[in-house]
Amino acid sequence: DTGVSQDPRHKITKRGQNVTFRCDPISEHNRLYWYRQTLGQGPEFLTYFQNEAQLEKSRLLSDRFSAERPKGSFSTLEIQRTEQGDSAMYLCASSMYSEAFFGQGTRLTVV
Amino acid sequence: GIQVEQSPPDLILQEGANSTLRCNFSDSVNNLQWFHQNPWGQLINLFYIPSGTKQNGRLSATTVATERYSLLYISSSQTTDSGVYFCAVELEGGSEKLVFGKGTKLTVNP
């Protein structure tokens, strides 16, 4: 069991570019979550999958954000037309029942 | 939505001291977890504790669900305990997402 894996660890992009992050959950975990954390705050929920179905999306997830989890395994989070306000740590978590386990995060900087 | 409040926001200790971190929540919960965020940003699981008491080495936690609070105890603190401690809860009967407090930033000086 290798834990939750996120790629890349760091991403610097120019405003207006598109970025995509990947999350590989713990194997056999059927639930996968994306959170966003800005400086000095706790993580905030973005979206949640059970298997391949996206069951909930936060109001924080604007139309520029899209997440997928094809085949109920890994997930991708895409941000289109990035803005400076998108700069944050993007965290992925997975769970089987209730206890959630987090990956190392992807730190996005939009310049 | 559910409110999660952590106190104190900041705590400075000398190595060897004990401390208590508190988490208050406003509604009934299915799940409560304590995390330690390391300097690289990863959230490390400390306890999954929707109720009762658990201990792991120098750390222990107690959740009193009926009174809507949880406590994290750190004994004989070490410099490696420094970082931000988060409490996160899952609302009972709600969606299966965690709602985080703002954290307690702990600094342990040698």
Side-chain angles (χ1 to χ4, degrees):
Chain A
D1 190 350
T2 58
V4 179
S5 177
Q6 292 189 244
D7 183 70
R9 296 288 309 280
H10 302 273
K11 178 71 177 179
I12 300 174
T13 191
K14 291 183 179 179
R15 191 173 51 188
Q17 297 295 304
N18 299 344
V19 295
T20 300
F21 310 142
R22 178 181 170 121
C23 171
D24 287 90
I26 294 171
S27 58
E28 298 181 354
H29 277 194
N30 60 349
R31 296 166 185 170
L32 187 147
Y33 311 80
W34 286 98
Y35 291 81
R36 182 172 69 185
Q37 184 179 23
T38 53
L39 198 62
Q41 301 296 317
E44 294 177 292
F45 170 79
L46 291 178
T47 190
Y48 153 58
F49 292 84
Q50 183 159 325
N51 299 312
E52 66 274 14
Q54 188 173 19
L55 296 186
E56 186 174 352
K57 293 192 290 187
S58 163
R59 287 171 294 177
L60 293 175
L61 213 64
S62 76
D63 291 345
R64 296 184 297 106
F65 288 69
S66 63
E68 296 182 343
R69 192 184 182 196
K71 302 179 183 178
S73 56
F74 71 92
S75 176
T76 58
L77 177 67
E78 181 183 17
I79 309 174
Q80 296 182 328
R81 305 180 304 281
T82 52
E83 302 173 355
Q84 286 189 320
D86 297 331
S87 295
M89 174 77 92
Y90 290 83
L91 295 162
C92 176
S94 70
S95 71
M96 174 60 83
Y97 298 110
S98 286
E99 186 173 9
F101 295 86
F102 282 78
Q104 295 166 305
T106 294
R107 188 174 298 277
L108 173 67
T109 302
V110 182
V111 298
Chain B
I2 190 169
Q3 302 298 312
V4 181
E5 295 182 357
Q6 292 188 242
S7 60
D10 294 279
L11 185 58
I12 300 174
L13 301 174
Q14 287 299 120
E15 201 167 24
N18 302 330
S19 62
T20 301
L21 282 58
R22 187 176 180 101
C23 173
N24 291 335
F25 43 95
S26 59
D27 289 290
S28 298
V29 299
N30 283 331
N31 172 13
L32 188 145
Q33 292 185 243
W34 282 97
F35 298 92
H36 178 210
Q37 190 161 41
N38 68 21
W40 298 273
Q42 185 168 11
L43 290 167
I44 307 298
N45 287 42
L46 297 178
F47 294 101
Y48 167 70
I49 187 165
S51 64
T53 297
K54 291 185 177 180
Q55 181 158 5
N56 184 3
R58 295 181 297 103
L59 272 59
S60 64
T62 295
T63 297
V64 183
T66 53
E67 297 187 20
R68 299 180 182 169
Y69 73 88
S70 184
L71 302 173
L72 177 68
Y73 305 96
I74 305 174
S75 64
S76 304
S77 58
Q78 301 175 357
T79 56
T80 52
D81 295 331
S82 295
V84 183
Y85 290 80
F86 287 103
C87 166
V89 303
E90 178 189 316
L91 180 64
E92 184 178 89
S95 69
E96 298 182 32
K97 66 186 179 189
L98 289 174
V99 177
F100 284 77
K102 292 189 174 182
T104 292
K105 183 178 180 181
L106 174 65
T107 303
V108 181
N109 292 321

